[in-house]
Amino acid sequence: VLLLIIAIALGVSLSRRGNEFKNTFMQRCEKFEGYNCTEIWDAFQKAYVDRDQCDVPPEAYDSLIEAAPLETSCNRMMFWSKTKDVAQDLAAKGDCFLTVERTLLGSVLDGLTWCGKRGSDETLTTGCPEWNECVKNPVRSFWNRVSAAFGDAACGDVTAMLNASIPTPFDPKSIFASIEVKRFKSSKVKKLDIVLVTEMNSVTNCTNKSLQDLQNMLDKGIIYSCLEVQKSQIQKCSSDPNKSCGSCW
Ligand code: APR
């Protein structure tokens, strides 16, 4: 009897967590006007429910992307790598920049963990694979897929924030290098502005070898620029309502 009670309690608490996840999803989704969040939730779930936790490829999210196409905004799109905090803080300031985490899908799933399991229609939020545990895990595949869509949507002057406190700011294994940059098309993207975020302990600058690789990887015709900007300057700009978008650096 005791075991049965424990089993029921565990079951109830796990399904509550699943509900909590759906509530968070729906609440975040409903902040965006003009979307059918129930339809988006259904498309989302189809990607990973009743599937092996390490066998969810990025394509599993194709119908989700179709149900909620990424918002685009030429000249405001911001990419980043190893600079999440500083990039997100700046994107939160007014309407200066649009990061994928501020699009509907990105904002709904930012910071969340989810997976399914074979033979069940549940959404689990614990016991899911870690980012590097297997390549085709539901969370990693989602970010790969949504980032591909964000890269495809890039247009006009595009900005990317990279980190000068690491030896390889343009890391070939990063999502930015391996997925997004490759999708910038010179027919749509005019210019790529790299903002290299520096700190007291910076180890590199715009002459970094990996940035040479970035330039070589760019579709011919896209203009490249690199600017070193202090982290504190960007942070100051993010929190100063009197600073306009164009005057942060
Ligand atoms: N463990 C957990 N999460 C990870 C890991 C990891 N080992 N590696 C990456 N991530 C997730 C985290 O959510 C992290 O904040 O990917 C995010 C970005 O990782 P970075 O290495 O800092 O950068 P990058 O791989 O280039 O991805 C950022 O992709 O999300 C898009 O448009 C966005 O341009 C941005 C780029």
Side-chain angles (χ1 to χ4, degrees), residues 79-82 84 100-101 131-132 147 174-176 180:
F79 296 81
W80 55 271
S81 198
K82 314 284 188 299
K84 187 170 184 183
V100 74
E101 289 77 13
W131 186 271
N132 283 320
S147 301
S174 67
I175 294 179
F176 177 61
E180 294 175 325

Side-chain angles (χ1 to χ4, degrees), residues 76-80 83-103 110 150 159 161 234-235 237-239 245 248-249:
R76 291 199 314 128
M77 291 172 81
M78 159 98 65
F79 296 81
W80 55 271
T83 53
K84 187 170 184 183
D85 293 352
V86 67
Q88 298 311 338
D89 285 353
L90 186 59
K93 174 197 171 72
D95 276 327
C96 291
F97 293 104
L98 178 69
T99 55
V100 74
E101 289 77 13
R102 295 183 70 81
T103 64
D110 195 17
F150 198 58
T159 307
M161 270 194 184
I234 303 172
Q235 286 167 330
C237 192
S238 304
S239 55
C245 294
C248 283
W249 49 77

